[in-house]
Amino acid sequence: SNVALVPSGEVSDGVFAPSFVSAYQPRLTKTLYGQFIAAQQLFYYNRFGAFNFTSFDAIAGVVYYLPQYHNLSLRLVYDYNRLTDDEWNQFFANHSIIANADLPIQFGRAMQLNLGALANVSFAASPAGPQRSDLEVYAGYHVQLSRNFSVDAIGRLIVKPYYYGDRTDVSELIALSADYRIRDWLTVSALTNFAWNQSNHSAFEYSVANLGGALTLTVKF
């Protein structure tokens, strides 16, 4: 619902969003790992093709695990994000530093709670008008109902200060997913999420709901 993310005149549509991800995480020391990710995602809308776009991310950094502190993980990476239209013409590019702290809390063998905080700080963007940083806290809950079937729920609170136009948004997001692993390399998922955005400029306030599914193919080597 509300694919245009507007406060009134909402329209609904379906979107096909395949993504292609390559990740490499070499071990540098006992608990320090490098992290290198390249990801390309495509967004194709069924009725409103003017919304079609693609998103590319190149990420490089480190992840540090602290098993003595309940397996706390700390991540610091650089992220280059490039948005293009469906003819691959760039309309936005962003450079940012992402810092993330994630604390997993295990309940037995089948349940886990994750608490975390994330700062995505932009230091260069083109064009500069939409440039912003994201400051986020989140909580996620994972339940392994069987060897192959699991359910996840996550809630996020995000503050988005924009660099120009005296604009600050606050977003809340709730996401639910159910995953069934058919093979080690093949997983099917059902997912839904709900988001609410408040802003000191009312034109940018909206709510949106999404319902869909996913097919994940994973290749490890």
Side-chain angles (χ1 to χ4, degrees):
S1 69
N2 197 12
V3 295
L5 304 181
V6 290
S8 61
E10 297 92 339
V11 293
S12 298
D13 200 358
V15 59
F16 176 59
S19 62
F20 307 89
V21 181
S22 177
Y24 178 54
Q25 186 164 300
R27 188 173 184 173
L28 304 178
T29 67
K30 186 177 180 180
T31 59
L32 179 65
Y33 291 77
Q35 187 174 76
F36 303 93
I37 300 171
Q40 179 72 64
Q41 188 162 18
L42 317 175
F43 296 84
Y44 295 116
Y45 289 80
N46 182 41
R47 294 188 298 136
F48 299 98
F51 291 127
N52 292 351
F53 73 99
T54 74
S55 178
F56 171 77
D57 283 276
I59 298 171
V62 292
V63 182
Y64 186 52
Y65 296 95
L66 292 89
Q68 68 273 30
Y69 295 105
H70 303 283
N71 291 315
L72 173 69
S73 64
L74 304 175
R75 183 169 67 110
L76 183 66
V77 299
Y78 159 78
D79 180 14
Y80 168 70
N81 175 246
R82 180 175 184 262
L83 303 181
T84 58
D85 60 26
D86 58 356
E87 294 183 349
W88 303 95
N89 298 308
Q90 178 180 306
F91 62 87
F92 183 70
N94 185 63
H95 302 264
S96 62
I97 297 295
I98 301 174
N100 175 223
D102 186 274
L103 179 66
I105 303 172
Q106 195 78 29
F107 298 98
R109 298 178 60 184
M111 292 180 286
Q112 180 173 298
L113 173 69
N114 281 70
L115 302 175
L118 183 147
N120 185 336
V121 180
S122 172
F123 62 87
S126 177
Q131 186 178 6
R132 74 172 196 235
S133 291
D134 290 1
L135 308 174
E136 173 183 342
V137 292
Y138 63 85
Y141 195 67
H142 172 83
V143 180
Q144 191 72 40
L145 298 175
S146 71
R147 181 177 179 180
N148 295 325
F149 182 60
S150 63
V151 175
D152 290 270
I154 189 166
R156 300 179 180 272
L157 176 64
I158 311 169
V159 179
K160 307 172 184 177
Y162 284 76
Y163 290 23
Y164 303 95
D166 187 32
R167 175 185 169 189
T168 300
D169 290 10
V170 177
S171 297
E172 302 91 23
L173 183 143
I174 297 173
L176 304 171
S177 66
D179 304 307
Y180 186 77
R181 188 180 62 185
I182 300 174
R183 296 286 188 270
D184 288 343
W185 50 271
L186 176 62
T187 302
V188 294
S189 307
L191 47 95
T192 184
N193 63 66
F194 307 88
W196 301 264
N197 193 74
Q198 295 85 44
S199 176
N200 59 341
H201 295 267
S202 60
F204 299 110
E205 295 185 345
Y206 64 85
S207 60
V208 62
N210 298 293
L211 176 67
L215 179 69
T216 304
L217 303 174
T218 303
V219 178
K220 297 181 180 180
F221 57 91

